[in-house]
Amino acid sequence: MMRGYIRKRITTGILTILFSFCLTFFLIRYAPGNPIKVLAGTENPNPELIEHLTAKYGLDKSVPIQFANYMKNILNGDFGYSYMSNEPVSKLIGEKLFATILLTLTASVLSVVAGTLLGVYAARKAGSIFDRLMCSACYLFDAIPGFWLGLILILIFASKFKILPTSGMYDLRADYQGFARVLDIVKHMILPVATLFIIQTPMYFRISRSSVLQTMSEDFILTLRAAGMKENKIFNKYVLRNAIIPTITKFSLSLAFMISGVALIEIVFAWPGMGRLIMDAIMKRDYPLLTGVYLMISISICIVMIITDIIYALIDPRIRFE
């Protein structure tokens, strides 16, 4: 039963990737804007240069023919070359992907752990001073834009107190090696990770708190209490297991969109990740780079969703039977 459930999810994921890839490929090329005009220059463009570049990059052919050629290249492991830098798309994405994953994964894990623990504790102490203070703080932090919070942290900790770097992933002027380089990267991560942590933690707090409260009010929990089962056993074995599923859902979604979801934060802190790469590709209509990035996002989303569905099935067997 479990194997059939996994095969079904994998098949659905592959079909989703194919559909998403086809949709984004055509939407990008039919969207307003011409990358060749950007390359040739907006002031007094040379018609001969435009014609040459159009033929060079295969844009003189119809979009369906471009799609067929691109699919043929992908099957051979060729994602094309960026119009702007003339570098392989796979190389450009590979150089930026690690930085984004390092930043967002660190912040997401810290947020889900802290938010869930605080939410569960607040739910068990519902109505207490701690619960009311945490709920008020969450509403406050939810109202703060992430980019604005990042700028405020830079002003305080980098500009005023000068204890943390303002931007970048490491110090370009220092040639750190080994453990010293790791410490330098960690130092540069503190402010962007803190920004993401502050704006993400309230979300996990609210989800876990409401889920625990809802589960604790279910009829089967009241029945277990009436049967004399200890409160700690009820909570650990039944309440927490059922209440954790919405948190897993939100955490998986944040991981799935982590390649493109922190663009503004990366730009504020000049973090060399996928955010700036995506923004530059959009502004310059870099078709191969945009297509490669969107394909990577589709694949990451489907992989995370498949893993999440499997975790669901392990936590609650009713899901795979249904």
Side-chain angles (χ1 to χ4, degrees), residues 3 53 56-57 62 78-79 84 117 130-131 150 166 170 180 215 246 258 261 282 284 292 305-306 308 311 316:
R3 291 181 179 178
L53 292 175
K56 176 183 176 181
Y57 293 113
S62 64
D78 181 12
F79 288 86
M84 304 306 154
L117 290 177
F130 174 82
D131 181 37
T166 58
Y170 43 81
T215 305
M258 68 180 174
I282 293 174
K284 297 175 181 177
M305 289 298 100
I306 291 171
T308 303
I311 294 175
D316 190 350

Side-chain angles (χ1 to χ4, degrees), residues 158-213:
S159 299
K160 183 175 179 59
F161 295 110
K162 301 185 185 301
I163 57 177
L164 292 172
T166 58
S167 60
M169 186 176 176
Y170 43 81
D171 192 345
L172 297 175
R173 294 171 294 182
D175 188 20
Y176 293 120
Q177 299 295 330
F179 187 67
R181 185 175 179 85
V182 174
L183 290 178
D184 187 38
I185 294 175
V186 171
K187 187 177 180 180
H188 282 77
M189 286 177 60
I190 292 176
L191 287 183
V193 167
T195 303
L196 292 171
F197 175 82
I198 292 173
I199 62 177
Q200 288 179 354
T201 300
M203 170 183 61
Y204 293 113
F205 172 84
R206 290 198 312 274
I207 292 174
S208 58
R209 179 182 179 275
S210 60
S211 297
V212 169
L213 290 176

Side-chain angles (χ1 to χ4, degrees), residues 29 52 84 110 168 273 280 289-290 299:
R29 280 154 180 78
H52 169 73
M84 304 306 154
L110 292 175
D280 289 342
L289 184 55
L290 277 174
I299 292 174

Side-chain angles (χ1 to χ4, degrees), residues 2 18 42 51 60 64 165 169 171 174 184 217 219 273 306 310:
M2 188 65 178
L18 291 175
T42 55
E51 184 178 354
D60 55 337
M169 186 176 176
D171 192 345
D184 187 38
S217 64
D219 292 339
I306 291 171
I310 294 174

Side-chain angles (χ1 to χ4, degrees), residues 115-126 131 203-222 225 231 234-236 238-247:
T116 301
L117 290 177
L118 291 172
V120 170
Y121 184 77
R124 299 197 73 174
K125 303 291 183 180
D131 181 37
M203 170 183 61
Y204 293 113
F205 172 84
R206 290 198 312 274
I207 292 174
S208 58
R209 179 182 179 275
S210 60
S211 297
V212 169
L213 290 176
Q214 181 179 354
T215 305
M216 290 177 67
S217 64
E218 295 287 343
D219 292 339
F220 75 94
I221 298 297
L222 299 177
R225 286 173 177 164
E231 192 68 28
I234 293 175
F235 185 83
N236 295 330
Y238 297 100
V239 175
L240 192 59
R241 187 170 183 175
N242 286 276
I244 203 68
I245 290 180
T247 303

